[in-house]
Amino acid sequence: MMNKDSAVLQGGFLLANKLCLPASLSTLQKGDWARVGHPILEVVEELCRQEELSVRPDTKAVHWRKKLVCVLWSKLLCREAGEDRETGWKENPFFPIQNSLPEVSHVVLLELVKSMAAAEIFGRLLLCLHQAQICTELGRLAQHVGCHPTSEDDVRLFLVVWWELWKGRAERTAGGEDSLEKMFADQFACLSSQSAGLSPKAAKRFKLDTSDHPSSPSVSSLTTDVLSVLLHALRDIRDHISTTDLCLQALSVALDALYTSFLIDRAVVLPTDQKMHILSKVVSIRERNDEKLSPELLQEAQRDLRASHSPSPFQPSRMKLTQALKIVTELAQFWRNSGLLKKCDGTNPSYSAFKLEQSVQRVLKALEGVDVPETVSEMDDQQTLSNMKNILRGVLESLAFPALESSPEVNARVTMAIINHRLEDYQEFAVLFATEKSWAASDEHLLDCLERNQAAFQQHETLIKLASTLMSKFHSDTADVSQCRKLMKVIVDIFSALSLEHKNKVLAATLRSSTRGFCGRSVPSAMTDGFGQELNMAFNCIIQGGRGASAAVLQGNLSTAISLVARVAFQNPEATLRCCCHSAVFNKGAFSLMAKILQQLPGLRGRERKEEAQSNGEEKGGKEAEEKSLLCSCLQETIRTKSLSANEKEQFLRFLGLLMRPEMEVEGEERQSFLSPQEVVGAFVLPNLSTMDHSPIDIDLSLQLLHSALCLDLQEPASSPHWVLGCSPFPLLYILAQLLNQGSRCWERPPEGAVHHLSMDTNELLVSVLTTLGRVVGEEVASTPSSWSRALFWLYNKMEELDWTVRFHLKPVWGEHFKNEVPSSLLAVCDLPEQEWSGLELPQYGQGTGLLAWMECCSISDSLQSTMLSCLSLDRRRPDHVNMFSKGLLVALTQTLPWCSVSQWSRLLRALRELLVSGRLHVPYSLEYVDYLPLLDLRGFSCELRLSVLLLRVLQLLCGSSCSHWLLEDGWAHVGRLYAHAVREMLDSLRAKLPLPSSGISTVSPKTPVSRDSDLPSTSPKPSTVSKDPLKDPKQVEEVSPLKSVTSPQGVTAHSRSPKGSSTTAVPSVEPQKDEEVRTVPSKEVLFVLGQLFCHVQHVQVMMPGGQREPLFLSCLEILSLYEAITAAFPDSSTQLEIDNTRHFFSTITDNLENQDMKAVLQQKIAQLVSSAA
């Protein structure tokens, strides 16, 4: 269906067809177009004038011209292909309009293209055809141009179409094909497929129909070589080129076609600055010819530049380089002889001359260069090539083109225009614009360009150069503070819009330049006013946004926080990292958020440069000052300015621990920690351990940091050495060993002026660190022992100054290089092989101290304990030996206990159980807290009972008058904690032997038969007293009697209740059961053991100096809680009378406590125990 515009167009063509009578438009000759073509041109002009009043006039007018060319050309192609009308109206998108027009010839099409200045449109549509058809159409064009009358417009049409073929193919490849071009290409493809089904004659006729004009001799061979067709056509019309400008255009196009077809096989990528200079020269030339700088002008120049440096879209198939070069040089010589190639006007140079100069220089350089193709190097006639080169050089000489220099002002305008209008390569020009410091005079234009085109500069390389340019402006004497601040704000806004990956690249580059960014020492303070406020606001928002938010909100807040920190870090990395460190250490709970932020900003991992470190007052020279991490420097400064509380130390430790972990994966970054363990150890551990008296970090915190670093699983390559080798491992081991040696005297009163006092917890941490570090170093030593032999012997010799036990913590380091050296007294009680063990004569280990050394060895490590137990020389068949060993072990345990850490004490308890179970340690159980003999089978609990008695005896000895002066108050507190730890282990053992049923289930019968093989067989009544000498065997394990009063070594009396208030002893009557019942659970036995443990703990609590301490009190509460739970789960385990006796007995024991608060709580707990059981 036709619209109004189509009807108007139809009218114009019908009128023109009428003017042709008696002929028609289908047989129109070129000379007749001037007579009959004006109705068509008027209609086209009217339609384009209407479109110029629309929103986008240029685009609409071009669209109409292109549409008209498509319709006419499609009509001609359809006629050649013999398209069926029934098929055409269904499939041909141009059918409605083309069917309404009269038949036309190629003359009408080409004259209309020339009159509408639509040569570029014709060239782009020509690219929609296949190459054979392109050659056909080019042949028709050449014939049309050569037909009389031939004008400059005809030649210009030919040259523009030629060059558009070279320019347009790259744009079509890049996706520049519009809808009309696609419709035209689809229609041609459809016609081609239809012609394939016609007769061979018809198909051949469609492929190349020259019936409108007889072929000229030069194209009669009808090749599909596009360049050949064009060059021969140009040679044919050379006589019609009568102006210098056309001559220059023709030679330039021909040379560029030759260069791109034969002399390059890939696109020549010009540096951006070279492109800029060429474009600037083009603009300068055209501005002298009264043209104005515009996007269209630059776009055309860029297209020309790209086409002349890209391989030809039509690679020659038959024509050789020599043939093409011969035609071009002949043409050049012909026009030179004709006087058309003449000297250019220096005041008003021609754009065509400039292009020709560029083209000739490119061809000459390619011909003379080393990358000349084989087709040239293998020519038979080298003289011919030389003559051709001389002709081209003569062209340059005849032109005498004046040297053009592009001014900085024009360069800046061209670059800004390309950026403003997003022309080709605008991002590369943005990089160039950011680096050109010579354009600093154009401050207003620079700022305006940046503000309007921030997206063009959103590349990390561009921004890095832009920031560098800004810094150079900061340091200039003529810097405008107001403009610099505006420029800095725009640059920071551009940075904020970058991706996280590119932000990190920019931050890394900023740190390499300066750790203070835009706020360096030489920058005037007026330029950075307001940054401090922005920094404080950013971190206030971050801290407040992380409080009490949900997980989703926290994730969003984290992204915002990362952007905020990155923004201020870009301006001043050092100040930002200081705020991060301050928040992480001093703001409660902020360390985790700060660590997450920094882990996403690995660009801030940079190191502080030596000169900046010295300007901060750090005069340490050499490698350390150069390689110190900026974050470590900021963190050191943060903790140096203020003493840390316990919570702040914890936050500091956890902050560094998170930063050392390579947990987070950042886009564009490999899995890597923000701080390496080696950096942390080098910054916070090694200096503090070597200068402890002046360190802001105490030993305990340094050891915790070292422990955290050593425990990291970094998954390093097996071939790479461990990071700890870069931290002077052997001196570090020696320092740690010295500290451990000092820790062995932790309960001694420190001398006057002593600064450091290692706690037992620090000693335990120290042992763990020393063991871990020793294992790591030992593995490295074992892999290459020859490399470490000197260091190994140095360390071993240094160990001679220290306690002999310290060497055993470095056993992984020694490997098999040295024997185990122990006091000679140990060899008297232990059968150790001489090949591995040797004795030391130590003054403090004289005769009879073998068991003391043996106990110390048992506490050092599990493997050493196993060796000591297996090699212990003790004849169990000799009761006197066992008895003497047991008494000696009691004394050794008393001497060892106060100086054990918790882990060492756990090992000793394990060794004691092993000795008890194996029968090597004899501990008689005296029932000093039993009123009546329990008719229970206590064999399953003999280890717990005897261990409890053993510990009671040890503490009785330790609290006695001969030993009570050993320890200070802190030492007694530590002993109390160790004893409470042992009680907890015994309670855990009891829980394992009597698992409590689920709540509400209490149907298990606790009945227990009398055992014939009881560990306590005797029931004869006999008064029992506690021996005054804890080393003497009281021999009460086989005799049990009711006890009215128990006197401790310190005179504490515990009264037990007798039945019916009698003070005389009595033996309960026990009726033997006729039918023995199988015991299901040992609830009665466990209750008995718990009662004994409670009495023992109360005894120790009353007896120990400072015994009213919390650990023992909590142990009593735990015993009572377990007692209460068992009586609730097994109600039949105690009668009401037994419950009443237990209440009275426990209350009487508790009455001996001096602390009234503890006593009240325990009495209340005892009352609850009774009521729950009832």
Side-chain angles (χ1 to χ4, degrees), residues 428-477:
E428 285 75 11
F429 276 86
V431 177
L432 178 66
F433 193 60
T435 56
E436 281 293 337
K437 298 179 176 62
S438 60
W439 300 341
S442 310
D443 287 333
E444 290 293 341
H445 299 294
L446 172 65
L447 188 57
D448 179 66
C449 183
L450 281 175
E451 286 179 337
R452 289 190 292 108
N453 301 284
Q454 292 188 20
F457 294 87
Q458 288 174 8
Q459 300 179 81
H460 70 277
E461 293 180 354
T462 309
L463 193 59
I464 290 169
K465 291 179 170 60
L466 195 59
S468 175
T469 302
L470 176 61
M471 290 299 297
S472 66
K473 291 173 68 66
F474 279 170
H475 296 107
S476 66
D477 298 332

Side-chain angles (χ1 to χ4, degrees), residues 818-836:
F818 305 100
K819 287 185 177 182
N820 299 313
E821 294 183 318
V822 294
S824 298
S825 57
L826 175 62
L827 302 179
V829 299
C830 223
D831 296 328
L832 298 171
E834 294 182 359
Q835 297 84 357
E836 301 176 13

Side-chain angles (χ1 to χ4, degrees), residues 846-857:
Q847 188 175 2
T849 59
L851 284 180
L852 174 61
W854 186 86
M855 292 291 287
E856 289 178 309
C857 286

Side-chain angles (χ1 to χ4, degrees), residues 661-662 671 708-716:
R661 255 190 273 167
R671 190 174 172 85
S708 299
L710 290 171
C711 292
L712 286 173
D713 182 17
L714 298 181
Q715 298 179 351
E716 295 178 335

Side-chain angles (χ1 to χ4, degrees), residues 182-469:
K182 187 175 188 310
M183 290 166 58
F184 183 77
D186 292 343
Q187 174 63 12
F188 176 75
C190 180
L191 293 174
S192 299
S193 63
Q194 291 177 8
S195 68
L198 300 176
S199 64
K201 183 178 180 180
K204 182 177 180 181
R205 178 175 176 271
F206 173 68
K207 288 180 181 178
L208 185 59
D209 190 348
T210 59
S211 59
D212 288 343
H213 302 282
S215 300
S216 63
S218 60
V219 294
S220 59
S221 58
L222 298 181
T223 177
T224 58
D225 198 330
V226 173
L227 181 60
S228 177
V229 172
L230 290 170
L231 286 176
H232 284 92
L234 181 60
R235 185 174 60 182
D236 291 342
I237 63 174
R238 63 183 178 178
D239 294 326
H240 300 289
I241 297 178
S242 58
T243 64
T244 297
D245 189 65
L246 273 181
C247 172
L248 298 177
Q249 287 186 44
L251 277 179
S252 175
V253 170
L255 284 170
D256 283 341
L258 180 147
Y259 174 75
T260 58
S261 298
F262 294 103
L263 298 179
I264 59 173
D265 54 3
R266 68 189 66 180
V268 178
V269 180
L270 296 177
T272 308
D273 59 341
Q274 186 175 343
K275 288 183 185 178
M276 182 262 295
H277 287 298
I278 293 175
L279 294 175
S280 297
K281 290 178 182 179
V282 171
V283 170
S284 298
I285 293 171
R286 302 187 74 161
E287 282 183 337
R288 293 182 187 180
N289 292 300
D290 298 328
E291 293 187 67
K292 292 184 178 180
L293 176 62
S294 65
E296 292 76 19
L297 187 152
L298 285 174
Q299 199 167 20
E300 179 187 351
Q302 285 183 312
R303 292 182 69 209
D304 288 341
L305 194 60
R306 181 180 64 249
S308 59
H309 289 84
S310 301
S312 167
F314 308 103
Q315 290 301 316
S317 57
R318 298 181 181 178
M319 178 171 271
K320 303 299 182 183
L321 172 62
T322 52
Q323 298 172 339
L325 195 57
K326 182 178 181 181
I327 293 176
V328 174
T329 52
E330 286 177 354
L331 289 172
Q333 189 65 41
F334 174 79
W335 286 320
R336 187 178 181 183
N337 296 335
S338 302
L340 296 178
L341 293 178
K342 57 186 178 182
K343 185 176 181 179
C344 295
D345 185 359
T347 58
N348 191 21
S350 163
Y351 177 54
S352 299
F354 172 75
K355 284 188 63 180
L356 177 58
E357 181 196 37
Q358 298 281 316
S359 302
V360 173
Q361 289 176 348
R362 277 192 295 271
V363 172
L364 286 175
K365 182 179 179 181
L367 290 175
E368 294 172 359
V370 295
D371 296 326
V372 179
E374 293 181 0
T375 53
V376 176
S377 59
E378 294 178 359
M379 288 194 312
D380 297 332
D381 192 358
Q382 293 293 330
Q383 184 63 39
T384 303
L385 177 61
S386 178
N387 293 336
M388 293 176 182
K389 290 180 183 179
N390 291 332
I391 293 175
L392 293 178
R393 293 190 189 99
V395 171
L396 286 179
E397 294 172 359
S398 60
L399 289 175
F401 193 82
L404 288 178
E405 294 295 335
S406 55
S407 66
E409 185 268 336
V410 176
N411 291 342
R413 286 195 297 119
V414 168
T415 304
M416 285 189 288
I418 291 174
I419 296 171
N420 288 335
H421 298 284
R422 298 292 194 276
L423 301 182
E424 183 181 346
D425 299 330
Y426 74 92
Q427 290 183 322
E428 285 75 11
F429 276 86
V431 177
L432 178 66
F433 193 60
T435 56
E436 281 293 337
K437 298 179 176 62
S438 60
W439 300 341
S442 310
D443 287 333
E444 290 293 341
H445 299 294
L446 172 65
L447 188 57
D448 179 66
C449 183
L450 281 175
E451 286 179 337
R452 289 190 292 108
N453 301 284
Q454 292 188 20
F457 294 87
Q458 288 174 8
Q459 300 179 81
H460 70 277
E461 293 180 354
T462 309
L463 193 59
I464 290 169
K465 291 179 170 60
L466 195 59
S468 175
T469 302

Side-chain angles (χ1 to χ4, degrees), residues 1045-1071:
S1045 64
V1046 177
T1047 304
S1048 72
Q1050 293 183 343
V1052 181
T1053 303
H1055 298 278
S1056 59
R1057 178 178 177 179
S1058 300
K1060 299 181 181 180
S1062 174
S1063 61
T1064 58
T1065 60
V1067 178
S1069 174
V1070 180
E1071 286 289 334

